[in-house]
PDB file of all heavy atoms in Angstrom:
ATOM      1  N   GLY L  40       3.159  70.739 -23.938  1.00  0.00           N
ATOM      2  CA  GLY L  40       3.819  69.917 -22.954  1.00  0.00           C
ATOM      3  C   GLY L  40       3.367  70.070 -21.539  1.00  0.00           C
ATOM      4  O   GLY L  40       3.862  69.377 -20.648  1.00  0.00           O
ATOM      5  N   HIS L 133       3.603  33.057 -24.075  1.00  0.00           N
ATOM      6  CA  HIS L 133       4.474  33.584 -23.014  1.00  0.00           C
ATOM      7  C   HIS L 133       5.213  34.839 -23.437  1.00  0.00           C
ATOM      8  O   HIS L 133       6.441  34.951 -23.239  1.00  0.00           O
ATOM      9  CB  HIS L 133       5.444  32.516 -22.520  1.00  0.00           C
ATOM     10  CG  HIS L 133       4.794  31.166 -22.303  1.00  0.00           C
ATOM     11  ND1 HIS L 133       3.862  30.933 -21.360  1.00  0.00           N
ATOM     12  CD2 HIS L 133       4.932  30.003 -23.016  1.00  0.00           C
ATOM     13  CE1 HIS L 133       3.464  29.644 -21.430  1.00  0.00           C
ATOM     14  NE2 HIS L 133       4.089  29.069 -22.413  1.00  0.00           N
ATOM     15  N   ASP L 158      14.563  36.214 -15.789  1.00  0.00           N
ATOM     16  CA  ASP L 158      14.353  37.636 -16.005  1.00  0.00           C
ATOM     17  C   ASP L 158      13.938  37.986 -17.416  1.00  0.00           C
ATOM     18  O   ASP L 158      13.301  39.022 -17.650  1.00  0.00           O
ATOM     19  CB  ASP L 158      15.596  38.450 -15.644  1.00  0.00           C
ATOM     20  CG  ASP L 158      15.908  38.434 -14.136  1.00  0.00           C
ATOM     21  OD1 ASP L 158      14.958  38.087 -13.363  1.00  0.00           O
ATOM     22  OD2 ASP L 158      17.050  38.726 -13.782  1.00  0.00           O
ATOM     23  N   ARG L 173       7.395  56.687 -17.171  1.00  0.00           N
ATOM     24  CA  ARG L 173       8.702  56.070 -16.959  1.00  0.00           C
ATOM     25  C   ARG L 173       9.148  55.150 -18.099  1.00  0.00           C
ATOM     26  O   ARG L 173      10.193  54.569 -18.057  1.00  0.00           O
ATOM     27  CB  ARG L 173       8.694  55.335 -15.635  1.00  0.00           C
ATOM     28  CG  ARG L 173       8.369  56.249 -14.436  1.00  0.00           C
ATOM     29  CD  ARG L 173       7.875  55.452 -13.225  1.00  0.00           C
ATOM     30  NE  ARG L 173       7.392  56.369 -12.196  1.00  0.00           N
ATOM     31  CZ  ARG L 173       6.157  56.866 -12.172  1.00  0.00           C
ATOM     32  NH1 ARG L 173       5.268  56.549 -13.112  1.00  0.00           N
ATOM     33  NH2 ARG L 173       5.793  57.706 -11.239  1.00  0.00           N
ATOM     34  N   ILE L 200       8.570  43.529  -9.624  1.00  0.00           N
ATOM     35  CA  ILE L 200       8.316  44.650  -8.739  1.00  0.00           C
ATOM     36  C   ILE L 200       7.302  44.232  -7.652  1.00  0.00           C
ATOM     37  O   ILE L 200       7.185  44.922  -6.629  1.00  0.00           O
ATOM     38  CB  ILE L 200       7.833  45.913  -9.518  1.00  0.00           C
ATOM     39  CG1 ILE L 200       6.636  45.585 -10.373  1.00  0.00           C
ATOM     40  CG2 ILE L 200       8.984  46.472 -10.319  1.00  0.00           C
ATOM     41  CD1 ILE L 200       6.029  46.863 -11.081  1.00  0.00           C
ATOM     42  N   LEU L 250     -21.639  41.951  -1.153  1.00  0.00           N
ATOM     43  CA  LEU L 250     -21.171  43.214  -1.688  1.00  0.00           C
ATOM     44  C   LEU L 250     -19.736  43.580  -1.246  1.00  0.00           C
ATOM     45  O   LEU L 250     -19.202  44.536  -1.759  1.00  0.00           O
ATOM     46  CB  LEU L 250     -22.166  44.330  -1.337  1.00  0.00           C
ATOM     47  CG  LEU L 250     -23.516  44.223  -2.000  1.00  0.00           C
ATOM     48  CD1 LEU L 250     -24.410  45.402  -1.593  1.00  0.00           C
ATOM     49  CD2 LEU L 250     -23.411  44.145  -3.535  1.00  0.00           C
ATOM     50  N   GLU L 284     -14.362  52.953   0.566  1.00  0.00           N
ATOM     51  CA  GLU L 284     -15.574  52.213   0.973  1.00  0.00           C
ATOM     52  C   GLU L 284     -15.213  50.741   1.302  1.00  0.00           C
ATOM     53  O   GLU L 284     -14.317  50.186   0.708  1.00  0.00           O
ATOM     54  CB  GLU L 284     -16.608  52.286  -0.095  1.00  0.00           C
ATOM     55  CG  GLU L 284     -17.224  53.662  -0.306  1.00  0.00           C
ATOM     56  CD  GLU L 284     -17.994  54.173   0.884  1.00  0.00           C
ATOM     57  OE1 GLU L 284     -18.650  53.323   1.529  1.00  0.00           O
ATOM     58  OE2 GLU L 284     -17.933  55.390   1.124  1.00  0.00           O
TER      59      GLU L 284
END
Side-chain angles (χ1 to χ4, degrees):
H133 316 293
D158 290 343
R173 300 160 189 84
I200 56 174
L250 294 181
E284 292 295 325

